[in-house]
Amino acid sequence: MFSQRWHYALAFLIGLGLVGAALAGLAAALIYPNLPSLESLTDYRPKIPLRIYSSDGALLAEFGEERRAFMPIEQVPKLMQQAIISAEDERFYEHGGVDTLGVLRAAVANLLSGGASQGASTITMQVARNFFLTRERTLTRKFSEAMLSIKIEHNLPKDKILELYINQIYLGQRAYGFEAAARTYFGKGLSELSVAETAMLAGLPKGPSLYNPVVNPLRATARQHYVLGRMKKLGFINDQVYQKSLKEKLVVRREKRVVDVPADYAAEMVRQTLVQQYGEETLYNTGYKVVTTLRRSHQQAANLALWRGVLDYDERHGYRGPEKAFILPSKREARDDFIHDTLRGIDTVNGLVPAIAISVKPKSLTAILPDDKSVEVTGASLKLASSWLSAKGKSSKRIDPGALLRLRQNKDGSWKISQLPEIEAALVAVDPNTGEITALVGGFDYARNKFNHVNQAWRQPGSSIKPFIYSAALEKGYTPASIIEDAPLSLTAEEAGGTPWEPQNYDGTFSGPVRMRTALTKSLNLVSIRILQGIGPEYARDYIQRFGFDPSRHPPYLTMALGAGSATPLQMAGAYSVFANTGYKITPYLIDKVYDGTGKVVMESRPQTVANGAPRVLDARNAFLMTSMMQDVVRRGTAARVNQLGRSDLAGKTGTTNDQRDGWFAGFSPDLVAIAWIGFDLPKSLGPGETGSQSALPIWIDFMAGALAKTPQKPFTPPEGVVSTIIDPITGEFLPEGSQGITEFFYQESLSATPNSFGFPGQAGQSESGL
């Protein structure tokens, strides 16, 4: 009886299986012909973002919804392929799209565990899902996925399927594909990864959020260890490599940006230019590549110089208090979770790391960083906020536990209190011989303030305009030895452009008769105004157009001598380039070449350079005399701090505007012009003593120290028609050869002129009235 029943049961199961097989066959017959075309796989065109590079290959920025870098399977390291197969589909090269053994193994595991502890999706099935299907958990979708996987296997070789998987899969942090993920999480390419790093990436497809090493480092590490174990079991690594990889401490990038050198302001200038021409859809998804004129070393030096200069200024003006104050949970575990979750949502800004204080004493402070590390701040590192630590009672100027702070790391690895600055700054550097912009930083932090101060901030140039007034004076017959009175001056409303004006020198003193060279070296305001009186404001306004200035922004009044007009740092860079390159007008430019997704050049700059067609707008003799006078500015004048660079091939001019609202330094070597500016977006005083020399010059010096570190000195040489002779330093008059005096440069024809009644050599027949 039992035997008969057993036969019935067996027959039933066989019949059920046959019916199931028949139904499956029927379903396959109906579904398979209606499966989508594989054209998107055979003609794979991934969405590749717009990438912007420096002239020497450093990635500066990328724009696009998907962070992706396509890599042919031949270039994918074998170890990466093995790690992926270990983690996702160990029988990938054996099954035909659906791993029957894997399905049975997963079914048994799930039955024994009482839940869905294992899946059986093959790499091919994941490719099918990623390209064609939704992620809904229905029987119909799973069956379609299996059918599509079989179709893919029938039409594509295994390596091509793996290539599609490696480049298409989403791995968190906006990264699609393993090459993009390697750069996102570790800042390097696949070929540079260690075994431990490779295993970490291979574990991501199972759950890009769940196993994200930035967000969930513990889970990510557990998953990594599982992958390493699978790699060992399958014979891809030996026990020694396995043990070493388990112990390797990974350095995961926490920053959202994935670039070699930050250049956000320059990148946005490029983006805006190209979007107008090609449109966002084409530009962001088809792999356009832009090579800019920026140089990696110059941009790095500019970033660091500006950040340090801004923070130094900010620290000189005191601590403004914590950004926020939180009430921390009393229990340690809850407190740590609260701090971890809070800091995850706050970005580090140019080295200013967010931290929450957990212990505050008069001479020490303990805070938690975003990586959950506890650090103690003591001694001089507390100086900025020392008064906030010792405040008693309910003072609003006190740091308490729960305070959100900004910490900045010292060179020795310790931490100091800092703060997000309110001041802004800009720095731009240009090759004066070609117009190439080699560095550009439009503000302290692009994420906080997208206003580009390099090309959008029209500010008063202050005394940095004086060299152009003096250059105009040379054309009118003045010389560096011309004597001009530095004495009190009263101007009418008509002369000053609105109200009566009694200008002063910065220090409020007067020097009496001085040579023009001395006046520029010391930036004497009253002398500059008298020079402008002598040549005429209208003439000066027309004259400075040759340097690229907009005359409508420089009203023809005597206030122009002190920079009462307006200019941008980029405009100033082009203007000072005329002095640096001996008199040629170049146009600063940023984009060198643009390539489309196929590598074809679709745009190329063809600038007019000094060597190729740039117009001469200034006599080379004039350019040299002005450069010579500006060399004295950096040797012994208002910018004498430049001497710390130990170079003799530098020249420039400081600039400070009315009420110290803007600080400038414009300076150059024969092959590099750099402009530094500092000020508030809503103009207000920088504070007592904050001149261009105090606030902008240190940024310039810091930048040039880095940019010129490996550049040999190149002297400014007198052109034909410039001669030197001995003069009396008091009267500016020529002295016989061999006399005691100082050496000065002149136009050759000036040596035959006779000093006029004002004590300076003038060109014969030229009027010097009005001085």
Side-chain angles (χ1 to χ4, degrees):
M1 188 69 177
F2 175 79
S3 176
Q4 190 176 12
R5 288 179 179 176
W6 184 84
H7 281 96
Y8 285 143
L10 181 61
F12 175 77
L13 290 174
I14 292 173
L16 187 64
L18 290 173
V19 170
L23 291 173
L26 179 61
L30 293 174
I31 292 175
Y32 194 89
N34 295 313
L35 291 173
S37 167
L38 301 185
E39 185 179 352
S40 61
L41 301 185
T42 56
D43 185 23
Y44 179 51
R45 295 183 181 183
K47 289 184 177 180
I48 300 177
L50 164 68
R51 289 195 173 91
I52 300 174
Y53 294 88
S54 68
S55 61
D56 45 359
L59 179 62
L60 305 176
E62 61 179 28
F63 295 94
E65 293 181 9
E66 299 179 2
R67 182 177 289 148
R68 190 193 302 276
F70 178 79
M71 178 170 282
I73 191 66
E74 298 81 14
Q75 296 178 20
V76 178
K78 200 67 180 175
L79 190 68
M80 186 75 251
Q81 299 180 42
Q82 293 168 341
I84 292 169
I85 288 171
S86 300
E88 294 295 320
D89 187 358
E90 67 178 78
R91 285 172 32 82
F92 172 68
Y93 282 99
E94 299 167 24
H95 62 66
V98 178
D99 186 2
T100 307
L101 292 178
V103 171
L104 292 174
R105 184 172 59 247
V108 171
N110 293 340
L111 184 64
L112 293 176
S113 65
S117 63
Q118 287 190 22
S121 287
T122 64
I123 285 175
T124 311
M125 292 170 74
Q126 291 183 59
V127 169
R129 185 190 314 140
N130 276 309
F131 277 91
F132 302 108
L133 303 171
T134 66
R135 299 188 68 88
E136 62 177 342
R137 295 176 176 275
T138 64
L139 187 61
T140 302
R141 200 275 296 163
K142 290 295 292 183
F143 196 74
S144 296
E145 183 179 294
M147 291 296 98
L148 188 54
S149 299
I150 293 171
K151 182 176 181 179
I152 291 171
E153 291 272 355
H154 284 166
N155 287 273
L156 296 175
K158 285 286 188 179
D159 282 353
K160 181 63 177 179
I161 296 170
L162 186 58
E163 178 184 87
L164 292 168
Y165 179 82
I166 286 172
N167 285 286
Q168 183 70 15
I169 192 81
Y170 177 64
L171 299 170
Q173 303 290 100
R174 285 182 51 234
Y176 288 78
F178 283 88
E179 173 68 10
R183 296 192 179 279
T184 297
Y185 291 107
F186 300 114
K188 47 191 173 183
L190 286 179
S191 62
E192 303 170 274
L193 297 182
S194 68
V195 175
E197 291 168 333
T198 299
M200 178 70 80
L201 292 188
L204 287 171
K206 184 175 178 65
S209 297
L210 190 65
Y211 301 112
N212 185 323
V214 175
V215 179
N216 294 307
L218 294 179
R219 287 175 179 169
T221 300
R223 176 69 176 163
Q224 175 213 31
H225 288 180
Y226 166 78
V227 175
L228 287 169
R230 297 291 302 156
M231 294 175 72
K232 176 189 172 187
K233 182 177 179 180
L234 295 174
F236 295 137
I237 58 173
N238 59 33
D239 186 65
Q240 183 180 1
V241 173
Y242 171 72
Q243 296 295 338
K244 179 183 177 182
S245 299
L246 287 178
K247 297 174 184 176
E248 183 178 331
K249 186 175 180 181
L250 304 188
V251 179
V252 178
R253 295 177 64 153
R254 302 188 63 88
E255 299 87 0
K256 293 182 179 178
R257 69 170 74 246
V258 185
V259 296
D260 296 322
V261 184
D264 294 326
Y265 292 96
E268 177 59 15
M269 290 171 67
V270 172
R271 187 198 70 81
Q272 289 181 7
T273 299
L274 297 185
V275 162
Q276 294 177 4
Q277 187 156 352
Y278 301 107
E280 291 187 358
E281 184 63 29
T282 298
L283 201 60
Y284 296 165
N285 296 311
T286 60
Y288 268 63
K289 172 184 173 181
V290 181
V291 177
T292 69
T293 59
L294 299 180
R295 301 175 193 170
R296 178 198 290 254
S297 61
H298 286 201
Q299 186 65 27
Q300 286 176 325
N303 286 336
L304 292 174
L306 186 137
W307 297 340
R308 281 195 287 248
V310 165
L311 292 177
D312 288 348
Y313 168 89
D314 194 68
E315 291 180 4
R316 287 198 299 272
H317 292 268
Y319 191 60
R320 295 183 297 277
E323 290 179 36
K324 289 183 180 178
F326 299 105
I327 298 176
L328 299 177
S330 56
K331 292 185 178 179
R332 172 72 178 270
E333 185 175 346
R335 183 202 71 182
D336 291 348
D337 288 343
F338 172 82
I339 292 175
H340 177 81
D341 291 342
T342 300
L343 292 178
R344 269 178 54 193
I346 303 173
D347 291 335
T348 295
V349 178
N350 295 333
L352 299 180
V353 181
I356 293 180
I358 58 172
S359 174
V360 182
K361 300 176 183 178
K363 294 186 178 180
S364 70
L365 179 149
T366 304
I368 304 295
L369 299 178
D371 60 0
D372 301 326
K373 180 181 178 182
S374 172
V375 297
E376 186 176 18
V377 185
T378 60
S381 294
L382 288 171
K383 181 180 178 181
L384 178 64
S386 58
S387 63
W388 290 69
L389 302 177
S390 56
K392 300 189 186 225
K394 294 184 178 180
S395 171
S396 61
K397 292 193 172 183
R398 187 178 69 187
I399 296 176
D400 291 317
L404 174 61
L405 310 171
R406 291 285 171 168
L407 301 185
R408 181 182 174 193
Q409 197 161 27
N410 297 313
K411 290 182 179 179
D412 63 1
S414 62
W415 295 85
K416 65 185 290 187
I417 286 186
S418 190
Q419 62 188 342
L420 294 175
E422 294 180 340
I423 195 79
E424 277 293 354
L427 189 143
V428 60
V430 172
D431 183 330
N433 301 301
T434 64
E436 295 174 351
I437 298 174
T438 66
L440 190 153
V441 190
F444 181 75
D445 179 62
Y446 182 78
R448 295 174 67 221
N449 187 350
K450 293 178 171 53
F451 185 76
N452 190 338
H453 300 84
V454 165
N455 69 335
Q456 294 178 313
W458 290 92
R459 307 296 288 245
Q460 289 189 351
S463 294
S464 61
I465 202 71
K466 289 178 180 176
F468 305 100
I469 305 299
Y470 282 49
S471 174
L474 293 180
E475 294 297 290
K476 281 286 192 177
Y478 287 70
T479 76
S482 297
I483 301 296
I484 305 99
E485 191 72 28
D486 181 31
L489 190 63
S490 295
L491 302 174
T492 65
E494 183 180 2
E495 292 174 311
T499 58
W501 183 37
E502 292 189 3
Q504 302 287 323
N505 288 325
Y506 177 76
D507 60 5
T509 64
F510 308 101
S511 303
V514 296
R515 286 176 292 121
M516 192 163 110
R517 176 182 290 272
T518 302
L520 188 66
T521 301
K522 296 182 177 181
S523 197
L524 299 177
N525 292 339
L526 295 168
V527 172
S528 299
I529 294 169
R530 283 190 165 89
I531 289 175
L532 185 57
Q533 277 184 319
I535 65 176
E538 290 81 5
Y539 171 77
R541 182 187 62 174
D542 292 341
Y543 181 85
I544 66 174
Q545 288 186 69
R546 66 180 66 189
F547 297 92
F549 290 111
D550 179 355
S552 68
R553 293 183 178 271
H554 298 271
Y557 301 109
L558 293 179
T559 53
M560 190 173 102
L562 307 188
S566 61
T568 66
L570 184 59
Q571 194 177 56
M572 294 291 282
Y576 271 85
S577 292
V578 177
F579 292 132
N581 66 29
T582 74
Y584 294 91
K585 177 70 176 69
I586 54 90
T587 300
Y589 70 103
L590 185 58
I591 298 174
D592 183 22
K593 289 186 178 72
V594 179
Y595 300 86
D596 66 13
T598 68
K600 177 184 176 183
V601 176
V602 295
M603 181 189 294
E604 184 174 3
S605 294
R606 292 183 173 85
Q608 288 184 314
T609 67
V610 169
N612 184 27
R616 175 173 286 284
V617 296
L618 186 66
D619 190 316
R621 299 173 303 167
N622 186 309
F624 175 79
L625 292 184
M626 288 309 309
T627 296
S628 172
M629 286 190 276
M630 284 188 276
Q631 283 186 285
D632 272 7
V633 173
V634 303
R635 287 170 177 164
R636 59 183 67 90
T638 56
R641 294 166 71 177
V642 172
N643 284 314
Q644 68 191 59
L645 292 175
R647 300 181 68 103
S648 61
D649 60 344
L650 300 173
K653 183 69 185 73
T654 51
T656 309
T657 64
N658 193 34
D659 296 328
Q660 288 84 46
R661 293 187 175 191
D662 299 270
W664 295 80
F665 186 75
F668 56 93
S669 71
D671 295 318
L672 187 64
V673 173
I675 310 296
W677 167 87
I678 190 168
F680 291 96
D681 278 343
L682 293 176
K684 64 178 182 179
S685 177
L686 296 172
E690 292 289 355
T691 62
S693 176
Q694 174 72 7
S695 54
L697 180 59
I699 297 174
W700 188 91
I701 291 174
D702 202 355
F703 166 70
M704 293 297 266
L708 299 179
K710 297 180 181 180
T711 304
Q713 295 198 44
K714 180 180 177 182
F716 297 103
T717 56
E720 185 178 352
V722 169
V723 294
S724 62
T725 190
I726 304 298
I727 64 167
D728 185 315
I730 304 299
T731 67
E733 294 182 351
F734 302 141
L735 294 177
E737 190 173 343
S739 302
Q740 289 293 323
I742 61 172
T743 300
E744 184 55 273
F745 292 103
F746 297 92
Y747 290 179
Q748 188 166 18
E749 59 266 30
S750 296
L751 296 184
S752 62
T754 303
N756 66 21
S757 58
F758 289 91
F760 66 86
Q763 293 181 342
Q766 199 149 26
S767 170
E768 305 298 343
S769 61
L771 289 176

